[in-house]
Every structure is written in C-alpha cells, then in structure tokens.
Amino acid sequence: MGIFDSFARAFRPSDEQLAAQYEALRLRYVSAKDSNKATRLQTSLHGLNNEMVRHANKAYVRDNPNATTRHREHGWYLNNDD
C-alpha cells in the first residue's frame, strides 16, 4: 500500500490549485444554460468545496495540534449570559 500512498501524495493538489479549479468550475456553472449541466456542475462544486474544507481542516490541525473546542454550560460556543 505504500506505493499507492506515495502516488496519491504526488498528485495531491495545492490549495492554490484547488482555488483555481473551483473558480473555473464556478464560472462554468454560472454561465450554464442547460439545467442538467448546471446540476452536474453544482454537484462538482460541492465536491471540490468539501475537498478545500478538508485541506483547511488538515492544515489547522497541523498548525494547532493541542486545540480543543470550548464547551459552556449552555452549549458549544455559547456564552453564559442569560
């Protein structure tokens, strides 16, 4: 499995490449006249957006290894003011 890991790592796009692909796909989506084509492009946009979020989350975990979420009495990220 090591050979496939190195292969996948070699073809992993950078954040800038993902952003450029997203913008090109977005422009195609905006200019689409056919609703079926627009639906397929929108699905592709969602997939690419999920990949960009995954990249951002991995970068955050790498940069902040000891980060924890804050839990308050009234729920996640809510202040205690009543």
Side-chain angles (χ1 to χ4, degrees), residues 24 28 68:
R28 285 179 47 205
T68 59

Side-chain angles (χ1 to χ4, degrees), residues 1 4 11 17 25 35 40 44 62 64-65 67 75 77 79-80:
M1 189 159 187
F4 295 116
F11 291 103
Q17 290 171 330
L25 196 58
S35 64
R40 286 192 308 270
S44 297
R62 185 179 57 244
N64 303 294
Y77 299 107
N79 55 16
N80 286 328

Side-chain angles (χ1 to χ4, degrees), residues 57-77:
N57 287 339
K58 285 180 77 171
Y60 181 81
V61 168
R62 185 179 57 244
D63 294 341
N64 303 294
N66 298 325
T68 59
T69 55
R70 292 176 31 196
H71 178 68
R72 298 291 187 131
E73 179 182 350
H74 299 292
W76 294 100
Y77 299 107

Side-chain angles (χ1 to χ4, degrees), residues 39-65:
T39 302
R40 286 192 308 270
L41 289 170
Q42 184 181 27
T43 303
S44 297
L45 277 172
H46 287 299
L48 194 54
N49 187 41
N50 290 340
E51 182 67 17
M52 292 170 69
V53 168
R54 190 182 67 75
H55 272 241
N57 287 339
K58 285 180 77 171
Y60 181 81
V61 168
R62 185 179 57 244
D63 294 341
N64 303 294

Side-chain angles (χ1 to χ4, degrees), residues 15-46:
D15 293 339
E16 293 80 20
Q17 290 171 330
L18 284 174
Q21 288 175 359
Y22 185 86
E23 183 60 21
L25 196 58
R26 187 190 69 78
L27 291 174
R28 285 179 47 205
Y29 169 71
V30 170
S31 65
K33 303 287 186 208
D34 181 28
S35 64
N36 291 330
K37 181 179 179 182
T39 302
R40 286 192 308 270
L41 289 170
Q42 184 181 27
T43 303
S44 297
L45 277 172
H46 287 299

